Amino acid sequence: LSSDTSEGKDVMQFCKQGDSTYVFEITTANERWADTDKINARIMISSTRERKGDTTTGVLDNVGINDFVLGATDTFTLPNLKNIGLSGCLFITAQQDDAWLFEEIKVTRDGNQKQARVFKNVDKVWLSSDDSEGKSELTICY
């Protein structure tokens, strides 16, 4: 942003996807090297595997707090996402090459615990943008 148009724009508009608030409770595995604060993870929530009706988070980061601590559960509250109904699949993307292993992700929309879904990393797939450390994208369906 700049008032000098040769340097940038003087106005910036931010858009929201919708009016729903999603809460992600993510439990990092209690295994050696499973923790990270540099994975830059994003999650797309879809109602189906074919991504028919989806909403996407930004980078999951509780600023100033170490995220994804060994054996701990981190909570991320994300407002202004699109309501896609019941969460069917999660598409988790790692944008940094630090490796991360999580056990489960609980997704709750608009505080409705009856419709909360827990997605488990049953196969213990490590995430990393570095192919030698893990997969850069993981799909988990309910």
Side-chain angles (χ1 to χ4, degrees):
L1 288 172
S2 175
S3 59
D4 181 345
T5 56
S6 69
E7 295 177 336
K9 295 183 177 187
D10 62 349
V11 175
M12 186 177 289
Q13 180 179 1
F14 293 94
C15 299
K16 63 181 192 174
Q17 296 178 47
D19 293 322
S20 290
T21 296
Y22 283 83
V23 175
F24 297 86
E25 295 174 64
I26 304 174
T27 304
T28 297
N30 196 13
E31 294 187 23
R32 191 172 172 170
W33 312 114
D35 57 330
T36 181
D37 197 32
K38 297 176 179 69
I39 194 72
N40 288 354
R42 291 180 185 265
I43 298 178
M44 178 194 299
I45 316 164
S46 179
S47 55
T48 65
R49 183 177 292 277
E50 293 78 27
R51 301 182 190 197
K52 294 179 181 176
D54 56 50
T55 190
T56 305
T57 71
V59 171
L60 297 176
D61 186 15
N62 288 321
V63 179
I65 300 172
N66 285 336
D67 299 314
F68 311 124
V69 175
L70 196 71
T73 300
D74 289 284
T75 301
F76 301 91
T77 302
L78 302 167
N80 303 321
L81 296 179
K82 185 169 120 184
N83 179 349
I84 54 101
L86 281 175
S87 303
C89 294
L90 300 182
F91 303 88
I92 305 117
T93 305
Q95 297 182 313
Q96 292 288 334
D97 64 0
D98 196 18
W100 173 48
L101 179 64
F102 68 90
E103 288 181 0
E104 65 181 37
I105 300 173
K106 180 181 178 183
V107 180
T108 307
R109 180 181 43 87
D110 297 328
N112 188 342
Q113 291 296 324
K114 291 181 182 178
Q115 291 188 7
R117 294 242 165 127
V118 177
F119 297 84
K120 296 189 180 277
N121 188 356
V122 177
D123 295 329
K124 296 189 176 192
V125 176
W126 287 76
L127 283 168
S128 176
S129 64
D130 181 339
D131 291 340
S132 69
E133 294 180 325
K135 290 186 172 187
S136 61
E137 183 174 284
L138 174 61
T139 300
I140 300 177
C141 295
Y142 191 78

